[in-house]
Amino acid sequence: KLVLQSQVASDATAKISMMSRLLDNTNKTAYIEAYRGNINFGGESGYGNVGIGTTTPAHPFHITKELAGYQAYFNNDNGSAQGIKVRIKSNDSGNFNMLELVSASTGSDVTAMVVRDDGNVGIGDPSPRSALHVVGNITINASSNAPYIDFVEHGATDDPKARIAMDQISGTAGQLLFYTEGSGTLTERMRIADDGQTFFWNEVNISTGSNKK
C-alpha cells in the first residue's frame, strides 16, 4: 500500500506512507517526510530502520553492499574550506584503510586518522606500521596529576608487568617513575627527580657482553 499525502498549507510537511503486512497479519507502517528541504525516514516503534542493499536493516542506518571502493563517504563541502571528511571502505585487496578521517580545511586533503584492516591506527599517517602510529607529539594527563603508561601481559590487561608514571610534585615540578613487577608486585625501580637526579632502589648491574660492572 502506498499513500502520498500532499498539503498545500504553508510550512507543511509532505509525507509518503508505506504499509506492509507481516506473517502474523499485522500491519507495520514506514514513512518518508519532507519538510523545509529536509528528509526524515521513520516508522512504528521498533521499526523505521533504513537499509541500502538490504530489505531487513537491523540498525537505524544499515548498508550491505560488496564493492572495492568506499561504502560511505561524508564530505562537508564548503567551497575551498571543506572541513572534515569521513570515508568508510567495505572491501579492498590486501590491507586497506577501513576508516579515514580527512581534514580539508585548507582546501587540500590531509589525513587526520585512519583505522586499517589489520587493526593498526594511524594519527597523522595514512599507512600506520604498528598498532598505534602517531606523527607528532603526544600529551598524557589525568585528573590525579599522576598519569602513567602500563605494559601488560596479553590477555591479562589488569595485570601490568611494567609501568612508567609521572608524579607531579607541585605546580612547577614533576618526576618520572619506573616500575617493574617482581613476585606479583609492581615495584618502583628507578626515579628521575625534578632536579635531574636519578635514583635506583636496587643494585645496578651494567652488562657488556659477558662482563658486568
Side-chain angles (χ1 to χ4, degrees), residues 51-205:
I52 296 179
T54 175
T55 57
T56 56
H59 311 283
F61 187 47
H62 188 158
I63 300 176
T64 300
K65 187 173 180 62
E66 184 175 352
L67 70 169
Y70 293 106
Q71 191 172 38
Y73 196 110
F74 303 90
N75 185 9
N76 181 16
D77 192 350
N78 186 26
S80 59
Q82 297 183 359
I84 190 69
K85 298 179 180 180
V86 181
R87 303 168 180 169
I88 303 172
K89 275 191 176 181
S90 60
N91 189 23
D92 210 337
S93 59
N95 189 20
F96 61 95
N97 293 346
M98 296 188 300
L99 173 65
E100 298 177 359
L101 300 182
V102 178
S103 171
S105 58
T106 61
S108 300
D109 287 358
V110 177
T111 300
M113 188 183 80
V114 301
V115 178
R116 291 185 67 78
D117 182 54
D118 59 4
N120 288 353
V121 176
I123 299 178
D125 192 294
S127 303
R129 288 168 287 282
S130 56
L132 179 60
H133 186 158
V134 179
V135 176
N137 299 322
I138 299 176
T139 300
I140 302 174
N141 69 345
S143 58
S144 63
N145 291 324
Y148 58 84
I149 301 173
D150 274 349
F151 302 85
V152 302
E153 178 184 354
H154 178 68
T157 57
D158 58 347
D159 183 19
K161 302 301 180 185
R163 174 178 294 175
I164 300 175
M166 186 279 288
D167 177 32
Q168 179 176 313
I169 300 173
S170 67
T172 59
Q175 53 189 353
L176 202 58
L177 315 178
F178 297 82
Y179 299 78
T180 60
E181 184 183 54
S183 302
T185 302
L186 199 63
T187 305
E188 183 183 348
R189 308 297 186 183
M190 186 180 80
R191 177 179 300 194
I192 302 176
D194 61 309
D195 59 3
Q197 294 188 75
T198 302
F199 300 89
F200 298 88
W201 305 132
N202 294 301
E203 178 183 354
V204 179
N205 292 322

